[in-house]
Amino acid sequence: MSDTQDLPTPQPGSPRPQDSYLQGLNPEQHAAVVAEDGPLLVLAGAGTGKTRVLTTRLAHLLITGRVRPGEILAVTFTNKAAREMVHRVEGLVGHGVQGMWLGTFHAMGVRMLRAHAELVHLKSNFTILDTDDQQRLAKQVLQAANIDDKKWPPRALVGLIQRWKDKGWRPDQVPASEVGDFALGKGLELYEAYQGRLATLNACDFGDLLLHCLTILTQHPDVLERYQRRFKAILVDEYQDTNVAQYLWLRLLAQTWRNITCVGDDDQSIYSWRGAEVGNILRFEQDFPGAEVIRLERNYRSTGHILGAASGLIARNRQRHGKTLWTDDEEGQQVKVAGLWDEEEEARWIGDEIESWQRQKHKLADVAVLVRASFQTRALEERFIQMGLPYRVIGGPRFYERAEIRDAIAYLRLVASPDDDLAFERIVNVPKRGIGDAAMKTVHNMARAGHVSLYLAGHALSGTDDLAARTRTSLVNFLHMVDRWRGDMREKSPRELAETVLDESGYTEMWRQERSPDAAGRLENLKELVKALEEFDTLAAFLEHVSLVMENAADPTADMVSIMTLHGAKGLEFQNVFLAGWEEGLFPNQRALDEGGAKALEEERRLAYVGITRARRRLTISFAANRRVYGQWSSSVPSRFLDELPSKHVDHLERAPDARPDLDPFFDDAPFAPIPNRFRSRRAEQAKLIEGRAEILQVRSSTPSRKFDIGQRIFHDKFGYGRIEAIEGNKLEIAFEKAGRKKVVDSFVEAT
């Protein structure tokens, strides 16, 4: 069928579809659906029926004959959302809607680009590279430029290029101020070379799908006019998540008819780390003067106390349109806030609460535990396994299944048992040591011929010329490290041994040098792994524990608790939600605040709002009063977000029978109770260090940094190497070699 086919015209006297499809809409939803042509912004709070409004408006445009299917452009962020929209619209209009441009931004970009590929020097059958292909291409570009791809990894180059493409910048458009220090300032040259290689291959990556479309539309007015006249109605889902390239593309296409409907929630914009710009939705009325703005504030998901807590918290943000969620539902239970001794007790308490919920004949599938950082899942997973509580980790692997954790454990397995060939193979060249496939084939041949392990075969080859001299040297060095670590195993605790292995192997340094967005999270996971080893007397006991944990794979069809990050929970809802780890530095995340300042704090608060609004009937927020870091206790100050929750919606839990008041001067005789007023008043002023059962109370503002001196050389994950020039409490002023002078928190730097 052609793109311009009309819907059938209703016959006189026949029932009109609109007699039913508008029923059940509340006044605000109805107003959004039937709004006249022109720019329309629907600010849809959490649980207010966003998807229903968007799909019903699209159906309304078709049913009333205001547009034909081929005159509609409707874009979403996921294929799932696109399929749901098609299904709902077809259900409302009674049949298929062929000819409509409906799909993800990428899908619509591909459709437009294939029609005009020659205008950007491509053929219409161009290939779209996946992530692995992008990294291989980036590696070729780095090698051609004689740049060390260990120091400047291909994945980091791909990430840099993607960020520029998300901004809508071709190589000739990248501002000089944005070039940065990648590969000593050669990032832009590498971008140009990367794009040149793509053109030679008749290929593009996902970032090109809209970037090339922007180039075509801005450089070819006839093509732009064609699409502007064609799309008489544009509808956009989750507008708060658009990046600059997507925003520019939509704005160009909407200029002729100005009939664009954007649905979104600025209070749920939480993806700046992947290019989303909350400013796109905030300036909608400036981009489209005369725009109508309709707020959907009636919530159909949560109880009154949950909504009151969410609204009171998010009202602290300045950069927002402003709306207040409300409900006709009951007030329900107040939001519970619990302070626990440490993260292990927090995990035990959450597990006990979930078991209590289960005993009341509720489903585990209605329970979710949401965390700010992936490393937090370790304590929860281990506790749930001990209890026999079924769980699934959504949006990522379980803690011990993560690639960096598997690598680290492979190192420890090899130390404990040199004959572990699987462990040997996994890490012999991680990080890269020049022991490639050809060398390993030789080692394998030797092992099979002598009926020995790869470890012993490697030792045998170290005295021969069967391997190239450089490869042989690398293998010998690796084997000597393993032998040395085996000696350390008798002298060091499991935690100390793990720190030594990860440091001397270069594995931790590999992730420090990695400049991809997930590198910091991987380092946090490795630190959490080291902390887990503190609980074991021997390395063998720990490895046995990990084996048992890994055997406890949950049945995917079973009734299970969901564990996920706050970012992964967006769009989901559960009857009973636990928000764990609400502590300063963890949530809001200190690294985010150091890098993004006030803007980052507002996004962290939006993330808290998203977490709260996932709950339907019950919500519990918890924090640990202490965390154990490298064998020493340190205080964990409750998150500022807890103070921002309106008190009338919050219930601070009372004393539990397993209190440990002798160890906690802040909590008096309650391990979780109202956050003490003196704790609030001294927030960000005091820190407590607890070593064993000895208490040391110090005031941060007058206490020097715990382990650094002026003039000392340090390393920071983001800014690189530098020297300390001044110390103020736990803040260090550092002159970085490449990033200049900056002030950072001491917990984010390491001595070199």
Side-chain angles (χ1 to χ4, degrees):
M1 297 184 179
S2 71
D3 285 355
T4 59
Q5 180 178 0
D6 277 314
L7 288 170
T9 302
Q11 297 300 312
S14 64
R16 291 180 58 81
Q18 60 262 43
D19 291 342
S20 61
Y21 75 95
L22 295 177
Q23 294 178 7
L25 297 174
N26 68 37
E28 293 76 23
Q29 291 174 334
H30 184 275
V33 168
V34 304
E36 295 298 319
D37 290 349
L40 170 65
L41 176 62
V42 181
L43 292 171
T48 58
K50 165 185 70 70
T51 303
R52 182 181 184 185
V53 166
L54 187 63
T55 53
T56 307
R57 177 164 176 78
L58 198 161
H60 178 72
L61 295 175
L62 292 170
I63 291 171
T64 57
R66 286 159 61 174
V67 293
R68 295 173 290 190
E71 297 170 337
I72 291 177
L73 170 65
V75 287
T76 67
F77 275 87
T78 66
N79 289 315
K80 179 181 177 182
R83 289 193 297 270
E84 182 177 359
M85 188 179 295
V86 169
H87 177 73
R88 290 198 187 194
V89 171
E90 289 181 343
L92 291 171
V93 303
H95 53 77
V97 286
Q98 290 84 358
M100 187 188 309
W101 281 49
L102 191 158
T104 64
F105 279 97
H106 286 148
M108 297 302 95
V110 169
R111 185 169 179 176
M112 182 178 289
L113 184 55
R114 290 209 186 275
H116 308 282
E118 74 282 354
L119 298 180
V120 287
H121 310 294
L122 292 172
K123 299 175 183 176
S124 60
N125 64 342
F126 60 80
T127 301
I128 303 172
L129 301 188
D130 61 21
T131 303
D132 288 342
D133 289 334
Q134 286 177 259
Q135 292 186 23
R136 278 195 288 270
L137 183 59
K139 184 173 183 177
Q140 293 173 13
V141 169
L142 288 164
Q143 290 175 343
N146 293 317
I147 292 173
D148 184 356
D149 61 9
K150 297 183 182 66
K151 186 174 182 180
W152 308 100
R155 179 163 52 179
L157 176 58
V158 170
L160 177 64
I161 291 173
Q162 184 60 52
R163 287 194 293 276
W164 285 337
K165 290 183 177 181
D166 286 345
K167 295 283 189 181
W169 294 333
R170 300 187 305 271
D172 61 311
Q173 295 174 310
V174 177
S177 60
E178 297 289 337
V179 171
D181 63 353
F182 184 88
L184 303 179
K186 295 182 179 179
L188 187 53
E189 297 175 28
L190 295 170
Y191 182 17
E192 292 174 342
Y194 177 87
Q195 291 301 98
R197 288 285 296 145
L198 283 173
T200 301
L201 296 170
N202 189 37
C204 43
D205 60 24
F206 283 105
D208 286 323
L209 298 179
L210 280 187
L211 184 65
H212 283 326
C213 287
L214 285 176
T215 299
I216 292 168
L217 295 178
T218 55
Q219 295 184 357
H220 300 275
D222 57 324
V223 178
L224 174 61
E225 183 182 4
R226 171 182 166 184
Y227 284 106
Q228 286 178 335
R229 294 187 64 81
R230 175 183 190 136
F231 295 133
K232 293 184 178 180
I234 299 175
L235 298 96
V236 189
D237 191 17
E238 302 284 12
Y239 189 60
Q240 79 280 349
D241 292 336
T242 53
N243 61 36
V244 174
Q246 292 161 344
Y247 159 79
L248 293 173
W249 183 70
L250 290 168
R251 195 176 67 173
L252 278 171
L253 295 174
Q255 290 308 306
T256 295
W257 300 105
R258 299 181 74 252
N259 189 23
I260 180 170
T261 298
C262 293
V263 179
D265 184 4
D266 50 313
D267 290 335
Q268 295 188 71
S269 180
I270 58 173
Y271 296 124
S272 65
W273 49 275
R274 68 183 190 196
E277 290 280 353
V278 68
N280 296 345
I281 193 170
L282 295 177
R283 62 170 172 263
F284 185 86
E285 294 169 273
Q286 299 172 25
D287 292 332
F288 299 99
E292 183 176 3
V293 179
I294 296 176
R295 288 170 168 80
L296 305 183
E297 298 173 303
R298 181 178 179 181
N299 178 280
Y300 294 91
R301 175 188 299 161
S302 306
T303 59
H305 280 307
I306 292 172
L307 295 181
S311 295
L313 175 74
I314 201 63
R316 300 294 187 110
N317 273 5
R318 296 182 179 181
Q319 297 298 313
R320 62 188 296 257
H321 282 289
K323 59 186 174 305
T324 301
L325 299 181
W326 62 276
T327 181
D328 283 336
D329 199 354
E330 61 183 15
E331 285 291 282
Q333 295 184 4
Q334 291 176 301
V335 175
K336 296 179 181 179
V337 174
L340 287 308
W341 172 250
D342 59 18
E343 64 270 31
E344 307 299 334
E345 186 173 57
E346 181 183 46
R348 286 196 298 273
W349 183 75
I350 290 175
D352 291 345
E353 288 289 296
I354 294 174
E355 277 198 333
S356 175
W357 164 271
Q358 188 181 30
R359 285 195 296 270
Q360 298 169 30
K361 308 302 181 184
H362 295 301
K363 292 182 178 180
L364 294 179
D366 290 332
V367 180
V369 185
L370 310 183
V371 297
R372 174 62 179 87
S374 62
F375 75 84
Q376 292 175 259
T377 69
R378 198 271 307 174
L380 292 164
E381 290 184 60
E382 294 200 352
R383 180 56 183 167
F384 289 1
I385 287 170
Q386 291 171 10
M387 299 171 65
L389 194 63
Y391 73 91
R392 62 165 62 88
V393 177
I394 295 179
R398 296 185 298 166
F399 182 80
Y400 287 109
E401 292 174 346
R402 299 177 189 279
E404 65 277 11
I405 300 302
R406 282 183 174 273
D407 287 345
I409 289 175
Y411 269 107
L412 299 177
R413 283 168 47 193
L414 189 62
V415 172
S417 176
D419 292 333
D420 189 335
D421 284 355
L422 293 177
F424 185 98
E425 280 190 289
R426 183 178 182 98
I427 48 83
V428 67
N429 202 38
V430 179
K432 293 188 181 301
R433 301 184 175 91
I435 307 172
D437 293 341
M440 283 306 299
K441 184 177 180 180
T442 302
V443 177
H444 270 287
N445 290 338
M446 173 67 76
R448 282 195 297 269
H451 302 288
V452 297
S453 66
L454 297 177
Y455 168 83
L456 291 176
H459 269 297
L461 285 168
S462 65
T464 74
D465 294 323
D466 292 299
L467 295 174
R470 182 177 297 178
T471 303
R472 187 170 62 250
T473 299
S474 296
L475 180 60
V476 168
N477 290 339
F478 173 73
L479 294 171
H480 284 173
M481 281 195 299
V482 175
D483 293 338
R484 185 170 64 253
W485 298 331
R486 285 183 58 75
D488 291 341
M489 187 167 55
R490 294 185 291 272
E491 306 293 332
K492 296 183 176 181
S493 69
R495 177 187 64 80
E496 293 170 328
L497 178 63
E499 288 177 332
T500 299
V501 170
L502 293 174
D503 181 39
E504 294 184 356
S505 67
Y507 190 76
T508 301
E509 185 64 21
M510 178 186 78
W511 286 114
R512 284 177 181 154
Q513 294 294 335
E514 175 70 63
R515 284 159 174 78
S516 62
D518 61 346
R522 293 181 188 273
L523 286 168
E524 287 180 339
N525 290 340
L526 291 172
K527 290 177 181 177
E528 183 68 16
L529 174 68
V530 169
K531 182 172 70 176
L533 279 142
E534 296 173 358
E535 302 172 15
F536 298 89
D537 295 328
T538 66
L539 179 59
F542 171 74
L543 293 174
E544 180 178 324
H545 167 76
V546 171
S547 297
L548 294 173
V549 169
M550 297 298 285
E551 280 297 311
N552 280 274
D555 177 0
T557 63
D559 184 33
M560 291 183 285
V561 177
S562 296
I563 303 176
M564 69 192 82
T565 64
L566 287 161
H567 283 100
K570 186 171 177 292
L572 303 178
E573 60 184 66
F574 301 88
Q575 293 289 339
N576 189 2
V577 171
F578 293 84
L579 304 177
W582 278 42
E583 304 147 27
E584 284 293 306
L586 182 53
F587 192 44
N589 181 270
Q590 189 62 51
R591 180 178 286 106
L593 300 188
D594 287 345
E595 296 177 1
K599 185 177 179 181
L601 175 60
E602 294 215 343
E603 179 156 330
E604 290 288 296
R605 191 176 284 112
R606 292 195 293 269
L607 192 56
Y609 170 85
V610 166
I612 292 172
T613 55
R614 299 311 94 195
R616 294 176 60 89
R617 319 308 296 176
R618 293 178 59 175
L619 174 66
T620 304
I621 303 173
S622 60
F623 66 93
N626 306 280
R627 283 196 180 268
R628 195 171 176 86
V629 181
Y630 294 115
Q632 291 188 335
W633 287 105
S634 64
S635 68
S636 300
V637 181
S639 170
R640 71 189 74 186
F641 296 153
L642 292 172
D643 280 340
E644 296 173 0
L645 300 175
S647 59
K648 66 179 180 179
H649 299 299
V650 177
D651 175 23
H652 293 278
L653 299 184
E654 297 300 328
R655 186 178 190 274
D658 60 344
R660 286 184 274 180
D662 57 317
L663 292 183
D664 196 341
F666 285 131
F667 277 76
D668 298 327
D669 61 349
F672 52 88
I675 302 172
N677 288 331
R678 52 185 173 158
F679 209 162
R680 298 175 190 270
S681 65
R682 288 182 287 187
R683 182 185 304 279
E685 291 186 306
Q686 291 187 330
K688 175 172 48 115
L689 298 177
I690 300 178
E691 188 169 1
R693 288 182 172 263
E695 297 177 11
I696 304 172
L697 212 56
Q698 295 176 320
V699 180
R700 287 188 184 217
S701 60
S702 62
T703 303
S705 180
R706 66 188 190 284
K707 58 180 179 180
F708 298 105
D709 299 309
I710 292 175
Q712 187 174 2
R713 192 167 187 264
I714 57 82
F715 177 83
H716 187 281
D717 287 341
K718 177 178 175 63
F719 302 121
Y721 292 97
R723 290 195 181 277
I724 299 173
E725 303 228 332
I727 300 175
E728 180 182 351
N730 68 331
K731 301 291 193 304
L732 308 178
E733 192 165 334
I734 299 171
F736 289 100
E737 295 173 2
K738 297 175 182 176
R741 196 181 186 93
K742 295 183 182 295
K743 184 174 287 189
V744 300
V745 177
D746 61 7
S747 58
F748 289 97
V749 302
E750 295 184 8
T752 62

